[in-house]
Amino acid sequence: MRRRMGRPGLVGTMARTAVVAGTATAVAGGVQRHQQNKAMAAQDEQQAEYDTQQAATQSQSEIADLQRQVAEMKAAQTPAAAPVAAPAAGGQGDVISQLEKLASLKQAGILDDAEFASAKAKLLG
């Protein structure tokens, strides 16, 4: 049997068409998967950003609550600190111990500078 030269026959044309169609389908599927992956990554990024914002908002709320509690505790402890600042009738040793107590209260943040200065002035007379 002799082969024809020139244009491919019907079977050759169908085979070439099938290869082109298969390649086009594979490429289109790859592009679609790539686009879906990009969309999912963007959605994950948005969700992470939202979660971060929520956590920051919650942290700020917790910090505000803690600051309020510290202020309330400080206000409740301030009257109790006044008797400590009262002058002792004992002697020089009591004055030094009272000054040390005042300094520790100031370092702990219970007394501010003005309260410390006032209590120190009362103690030293």
Side-chain angles (χ1 to χ4, degrees):
M1 199 180 232
R2 203 173 133 188
R3 292 186 67 182
R4 283 179 44 190
M5 294 300 223
R7 294 183 3 197
L10 181 61
V11 173
T13 302
M14 289 176 65
R16 186 179 303 149
T17 302
V19 169
V20 169
T23 303
T25 301
V27 169
V31 168
Q32 185 179 12
R33 279 190 301 277
H34 179 70
Q35 288 174 344
Q36 286 175 346
N37 288 342
K38 280 177 60 176
M40 290 185 72
Q43 185 179 7
D44 289 345
E45 186 177 319
Q46 287 176 348
Q47 184 65 37
E49 185 176 325
Y50 175 77
D51 291 344
T52 302
Q53 289 174 351
Q54 288 297 100
T57 301
Q58 184 177 2
S59 293
Q60 289 174 349
S61 174
E62 290 173 357
I63 288 171
D65 288 342
L66 288 174
Q67 287 175 339
R68 181 185 47 80
Q69 289 174 0
V70 167
E72 289 173 358
M73 289 173 61
K74 193 174 183 181
Q77 290 177 353
T78 300
V84 172
Q92 191 68 3
D94 288 338
V95 172
I96 293 173
S97 67
Q98 292 293 323
L99 284 173
E100 290 173 349
K101 287 180 184 178
L102 284 173
S104 67
L105 289 172
K106 182 180 178 215
Q107 286 179 343
I110 296 172
L111 296 177
D112 61 13
D113 291 335
E115 293 170 332
F116 177 75
S118 172
K120 182 177 154 187
K122 285 181 184 177
L123 186 62
L124 297 176

